[in-house]
Amino acid sequence: LDIRPKVSSLLSRLVNYTNITQGAKEHEEEESAEASRRKTPKSPNMGTLMGVYLPCLQNIFGVILFLRLTWIVGMAGIVQSLLIVLMCCSCTMLTAISMSAIATNGVVPAGGAYFMISRSLGPEFGGAVGLCFYLGTTFASAMYILGAIEIFLKYLVPQAAIFHDTEPHRSDSAMLNNMRVYGSLCLSLMAVVVFVGVKYVNKLASLFLACVIISIVAIYAGAIKSVMHPPEFPICMLGNRTLVRDRFDVCAKTIIKGNITVPSQLWDKFCLPGNTSSAHCDDYFNQNNVTEIQGIPGLGSGIIRDNMWGNYLEKGELLEKAGLQSVNAHGALENFGMYVSADIATSFTLLVGIFFPSATGIMAGSNRSGDLKDAQKSIPVGTILAITTTSLVYFSSVVLFGSCIEGVVLRDKFGDAVKKNLVVGTLAWPSPWVIVIGSFFSTVGAGLQSLTGAPRLLQAIAKDNIIPFLRVFGHGKTNGEPTWALLLTGLIAELGILIASLDMVAPILSMFFLMCYLFVNLACAVQTLLRTPNWRPRFKYYHWALSFLGMSMCLALMFISSWYYAIVAMGIAGMIYKYIEYQGAEKEWGDGIRGLSLSAARYALLRLEAGPPHTKNWRPQLLVLLKLDEDLHVKYPRLLTFASQLKAGKGLTIVGSVIHGNFLDSYGEMQAAEQAIKNIMETERVKGFCQVVVASKVREGIVHLIQSCGLGGMKHNTVVMGWPYGWRQSEDPRAWKTFINTVRCTTAAQLALMVPKNVSFYPSNHERFTDGNIDVWWIVHDGGMLMLLPFLLKQHKVWRKCKMRIFT
């Protein structure tokens, strides 16, 4: 009675029920009657727009749209860029459909994706996916911070750089070090803001969202204006190579000063100082003309034809414009820094990994289900609308960028050809600064949101206590804010910042998010296929085939974007899964995997019913009959050792025993006997089932076991029993009759019989025979079983070195 729920307490809980279950702490308080009396619960009031649509929009639009989408279009071309966007957005749309089904199957408290998966697929999958989602969100905060610092150092305040490279064309390492220093400072500052109070972050959320929307509107306005009045962003070309525009003033080899032609700054860069003779100039400079082309030809220019197909570059390859006249000459290496070049090698798969984080953030609505007026309606509508909106923006942006901007500018990641302007900013109206400032604030906001969400997710996992060493992260401040979890999140995010490259961090978090989405789809597919009685989503537009397609797409995208990261992410998830399984998380969540196992077992048992096993497949399926003493201890535990050596973990083993007495009186004794047998089975590493029978006569109990053990095709075909010792001295004159009767019953049931004599002298599982023989005394009519037994024993490491001798 102490542990079983009482009807009265159950009814009182139902009376005090409220669906505000935003944090684990509040959830616990609402379950206690005192807290319900102390607090009057605030009714949730957020609608679809404020509660789901806008938070999802804010989480999906991010740094990649402003910093990398133009570059992706330039490298992959419009066609392949549309394919990348289609793949990523389809993947998230299918996941959103599965997530909507799971989220409308009941209230989803704090922990969002983790809660949904753990309650659908069990604690092992839940823990593995929850931690993957947590790592993804943590690395997302690092990615947003790196994006913000890139905007700050490249476009807002370039003079703030601490490290400068001595060689002009080797600015990589200095830039990475600057990113590390500023990124770490920014992370510390954000962590302090989150620690001081999440309410400030939530208050600023609308401001950050406004920045994103204004920036996107500015891009569309600029694209429309470019039809009539394209913005002035001339690009200087030497032959067909693009020049870095901020290294010189005039795009010409010579300039006229007071009717005298003098060498320009550009001439001085390519020629020896103090020489006006072309003999002392770079070969390529001498043989090619300097021309100026328009960086933003505009929507009506027909540039879309040039940008339709991909133009992937190797690291260090120069950005060249096809179609411009050029004489191929060998240029001096010291002038390499004058040309715009690719900073990393690109490929379709790499771009998929970099773009995918733009499509993530679809869980923002389901994480807030406790604050929604009607979560069952708002989550599906808001999430799917947000994905549709963002997908349309991405598709139209790809086409607009390809239609308005010159190809060499698109491929110029940092805007070197357009005087270090943000490339997407060059298209914006009224000024590039709208995008630069807007994207900076929106990126900082997204980073703060991720840094706020990740510790709460870790706290939700820690409070479930499925991973013991994470228990400390379940504690926090008095108001429930996760202090320790924030500290760990900051340390992991710092690792992402030390990588210092947005292009390297993006594929890492893509892996973790894809892993999470894969399991959301799997959870929905499993629940739908099993038709479990508690699976009743209010969202009806889902199907197991869609979930399965979403799952396949997630897996495909993982391996497309980076196969080695995919293997590492799967390895991490697998290790967490096995660890939780090893720790034995006993959570009564009624997971779908148990249901799946049950369905698979039923299917396999029905298949086994089709007919008797073929001779080739025959192996002893054991019923081991054990004798217990008065204290319910197993008399001959070596019988189990022998069984485990014979089976080597394969096939069926049932361990049976009989208790003398009446079932109603001896039920407790029977349970104790079962537990004792299970404990010794675990010690002897016997994988199998235990069955204890209470009978008025031991002989009858044994007959019942022989007749009724097993299920369908999974029945025993061999009985193992001990040799009767001391039957002459036994007080009970019927003791020897029990043995004889068991032999007769086994024969009558047409089962094989094994009687190990002197079983206490048999080797334990830790002993090894380095030599020796197993003797077989051949009986012609045994069907070959005597030959099979030593062979099966020799599969075990104890008997492996033994030889077999046959006596006929």
Side-chain angles (χ1 to χ4, degrees):
L1 280 175
D2 291 339
I3 57 167
R4 292 187 185 173
K6 300 170 185 65
V7 175
S8 57
S9 66
L10 178 70
L11 290 173
S12 73
R13 279 189 195 180
L14 288 173
V15 169
N16 296 318
Y17 175 73
T18 167
N19 75 336
I20 306 177
T21 49
Q22 203 40 36
K25 186 167 183 289
E26 292 87 339
H27 190 60
E28 285 163 17
E29 283 182 355
E30 275 147 24
E31 285 193 344
S32 68
E34 299 87 65
S36 302
R37 281 196 293 274
R38 198 167 62 246
K39 285 182 181 176
T40 50
K42 176 171 70 88
S43 61
N45 54 8
M46 293 180 96
T48 306
L49 182 73
M50 294 303 291
V52 182
Y53 180 71
L54 292 178
C56 280
L57 219 59
Q58 185 177 358
N59 277 268
I60 297 171
F61 281 135
V63 63
I64 303 293
L65 170 65
F66 301 114
L67 287 184
R68 292 290 181 269
L69 193 56
T70 49
W71 174 71
I72 289 171
V73 174
M75 290 295 179
I78 294 172
V79 175
Q80 289 184 29
S81 299
L82 289 173
L83 182 62
I84 291 171
V85 175
L86 179 69
M87 283 163 65
C88 296
C89 293
S90 305
C91 179
T92 49
M93 180 61 89
L94 291 167
T95 305
I97 291 169
S98 298
M99 186 198 73
S100 300
I102 298 172
T104 56
N105 192 43
V107 178
V108 181
Y114 158 69
F115 186 90
M116 290 191 286
I117 293 160
S118 61
R119 294 335 184 248
S120 302
L121 294 179
E124 294 89 359
F125 275 114
V129 177
L131 280 180
C132 277
F133 192 48
Y134 164 72
L135 289 170
T137 313
T138 306
F139 271 106
S141 62
M143 181 188 80
Y144 289 128
I145 290 169
L146 288 173
I149 300 303
E150 186 177 304
I151 295 168
F152 179 74
L153 286 179
K154 287 273 185 189
Y155 311 111
L156 277 172
V157 194
Q159 54 272 27
I162 301 167
F163 301 96
H164 300 279
D165 254 323
T166 45
E167 296 176 56
H169 62 278
R170 287 290 306 276
S171 60
D172 288 0
S173 55
M175 184 62 191
L176 292 180
N177 287 331
N178 286 321
M179 297 277 269
R180 287 178 186 120
V181 172
Y182 278 104
S184 302
L185 286 171
C186 186
L187 175 66
S188 310
L189 204 64
M190 283 185 177
V192 169
V193 170
V194 173
F195 178 76
V196 168
V198 176
K199 58 180 183 286
Y200 302 117
V201 179
N202 293 335
K203 280 178 183 171
L204 290 169
S206 49
L207 170 71
F208 296 138
L209 181 63
C211 290
V212 176
I213 292 168
I214 291 167
S215 302
I216 291 168
V217 169
I219 294 170
Y220 284 107
I224 293 162
K225 180 181 169 287
S226 74
V227 178
M228 305 302 292
H229 303 287
E232 274 294 314
F233 280 102
I235 308 169
C236 196
M237 308 291 291
L238 176 58
N240 64 354
R241 296 178 184 177
T242 317
L243 294 169
V244 178
R245 194 64 182 85
D246 63 333
R247 297 270 170 90
F248 51 91
D249 51 3
V250 180
C251 182
K253 289 187 179 183
T254 54
I255 50 173
I256 296 169
K257 271 189 183 175
N259 294 334
I260 304 167
T261 304
V262 293
S264 66
Q265 276 188 10
L266 187 61
W267 181 287
D268 294 339
K269 297 281 181 188
F270 281 95
C271 303
L272 291 174
N275 278 296
T276 51
S277 157
S278 60
H280 298 283
C281 292
D282 181 281
D283 276 354
Y284 189 85
F285 180 77
N286 271 340
Q287 295 184 36
N288 287 282
N289 294 325
V290 174
T291 51
E292 210 167 43
I293 59 169
Q294 193 55 275
I296 316 288
L299 206 53
S301 64
I303 195 78
I304 189 168
R305 285 192 296 274
D306 297 345
N307 294 332
M308 197 60 83
W309 306 108
N311 191 347
Y312 299 109
L313 300 175
E314 289 301 315
K315 184 175 181 178
E317 204 173 325
L318 302 181
L319 267 61
E320 297 178 345
K321 178 172 169 59
L324 268 187
Q325 196 176 0
S326 164
V327 178
N328 198 5
H330 188 70
L333 193 63
E334 57 268 18
N335 296 320
F336 185 78
M338 289 299 296
Y339 303 115
V340 184
S341 61
D343 67 328
I344 56 168
T346 48
S347 62
F348 180 78
T349 56
L350 176 92
L351 298 183
V352 170
I354 290 173
F355 178 77
F356 186 78
S358 294
T360 59
I362 60 173
M363 303 281 182
S366 65
N367 290 356
R368 297 167 177 236
S369 64
D371 294 339
L372 301 172
K373 199 181 292 178
D374 183 0
Q376 312 275 321
K377 180 184 155 208
S378 296
I379 289 173
V381 173
T383 308
I384 289 169
L385 267 178
I387 292 173
T388 308
T389 308
T390 51
S391 301
L392 288 172
V393 169
Y394 289 141
F395 281 121
S396 55
S397 298
V398 166
V399 175
L400 284 177
F401 294 158
S403 310
C404 297
I405 306 175
E406 172 60 57
V408 286
V409 179
L410 284 174
R411 287 190 287 283
D412 179 6
K413 190 190 284 184
F414 303 116
D416 292 323
V418 282
K419 290 190 177 173
K420 292 273 194 288
N421 274 298
L422 183 59
V423 174
V424 68
T426 58
L427 184 61
W429 178 86
S431 159
W433 287 102
V434 175
I435 297 275
V436 173
I437 293 165
S439 60
F440 177 73
F441 281 114
S442 69
T443 307
V444 168
L448 275 170
Q449 291 278 356
S450 298
L451 212 55
T452 309
R456 285 164 176 256
L457 180 58
L458 183 61
Q459 189 181 37
I461 298 168
K463 285 202 171 179
D464 268 342
N465 200 18
I466 53 172
I467 304 172
F469 67 82
L470 290 181
R471 201 175 301 147
V472 64
F473 299 110
H475 309 304
K477 292 195 281 188
T478 47
N479 62 351
E481 286 302 321
T483 317
W484 291 106
L486 177 63
L487 187 66
L488 181 69
T489 304
L491 290 172
I492 296 171
E494 179 61 27
L495 293 177
I497 282 166
L498 291 177
I499 294 171
S501 165
L502 191 67
D503 305 317
M504 296 282 279
V505 174
I508 296 174
L509 72 104
S510 294
M511 288 307 131
F512 289 123
F513 277 124
L514 280 165
M515 201 75 165
C516 175
Y517 296 166
L518 185 145
F519 282 111
V520 169
N521 285 306
L522 175 66
C524 183
V526 166
Q527 299 275 50
T528 311
L529 286 170
L530 288 179
R531 294 195 181 92
T532 42
N534 77 325
W535 179 244
R536 302 188 292 274
R538 273 181 58 182
F539 178 74
K540 298 296 179 199
Y541 306 102
Y542 69 94
H543 193 270
W544 66 266
L546 288 176
S547 302
F548 195 77
L549 179 64
M551 192 175 102
S552 310
M553 283 195 76
C554 289
L555 197 62
L557 279 172
M558 281 174 77
F559 281 94
I560 284 172
S561 51
S562 175
W563 63 267
Y564 42 90
Y565 280 156
I567 291 168
V568 170
M570 289 170 122
I572 291 171
M575 277 166 18
I576 298 165
Y577 179 94
K578 292 309 285 182
Y579 177 75
I580 297 170
E581 191 179 53
Y582 171 73
Q583 286 292 334
E586 292 296 328
K587 294 289 179 190
E588 286 307 312
W589 291 337
D591 56 274
I593 292 296
R594 292 284 300 266
L596 194 61
S597 305
L598 199 65
S599 291
R602 176 181 157 276
Y603 173 75
L605 283 170
L606 289 170
R607 286 288 302 271
L608 280 175
E609 282 287 86
H614 191 271
T615 320
K616 289 178 184 173
N617 299 328
W618 195 95
R619 58 165 68 237
Q621 313 283 20
L622 306 180
L623 168 62
V624 183
L625 297 174
L626 289 184
K627 193 181 277 186
L628 303 175
D629 60 17
E630 292 79 18
D631 301 326
L632 301 180
H633 292 136
V634 177
K635 269 192 173 177
Y636 301 114
R638 283 291 160 91
L639 268 177
L640 287 174
T641 316
F642 172 67
S644 74
Q645 290 169 7
L646 194 62
K647 302 302 292 179
K650 305 281 195 305
L652 176 74
T653 307
I654 302 170
V655 181
S657 189
V658 180
I659 288 174
H660 184 262
N662 179 5
F663 179 72
L664 292 175
D665 302 332
S666 307
Y667 179 70
E669 195 182 349
M670 185 190 91
Q671 282 193 310
E674 261 190 21
Q675 195 52 52
I677 291 174
K678 279 180 181 169
N679 290 343
I680 197 157
M681 282 171 73
E682 204 169 302
T683 311
E684 296 295 339
R685 294 186 179 173
V686 177
K687 290 185 170 67
F689 308 96
C690 169
Q691 194 153 353
V692 178
V693 171
V694 180
S696 53
K697 289 181 183 173
V698 173
R699 275 162 59 183
E700 283 182 10
I702 290 175
V703 173
H704 294 330
L705 280 173
I706 289 171
Q707 282 185 81
S708 62
C709 275
L711 177 65
M714 285 297 274
K715 284 182 84 72
H716 56 277
N717 56 25
T718 305
V719 176
V720 180
M721 60 188 295
W723 181 261
Y725 300 103
W727 56 273
R728 290 180 198 277
Q729 294 82 27
S730 176
E731 294 167 17
D732 183 4
R734 293 190 303 278
W736 61 273
K737 287 186 178 175
T738 306
F739 177 73
I740 299 295
N741 192 57
T742 309
V743 173
R744 282 179 169 170
C745 290
T746 308
T747 314
Q750 295 188 324
L751 304 173
L753 175 67
M754 288 192 226
V755 188
K757 197 176 178 189
N758 296 329
V759 75
S760 49
F761 297 116
Y762 277 44
S764 74
N765 283 327
H766 304 297
E767 292 177 45
R768 300 277 188 282
F769 286 135
T770 49
D771 57 354
N773 302 307
I774 304 175
D775 291 348
V776 179
W777 298 83
W778 179 258
I779 302 169
V780 177
H781 297 291
D782 77 335
M785 185 175 172
L786 273 178
M787 299 291 287
L788 182 64
L789 292 181
F791 170 76
L792 291 173
L793 277 176
K794 277 172 63 104
Q795 303 302 307
H796 198 275
K797 54 194 172 191
V798 172
W799 304 84
R800 194 165 288 155
K801 299 268 177 74
C802 294
K803 291 190 169 66
M804 201 158 92
R805 290 196 304 192
I806 300 174
F807 294 81
T808 59

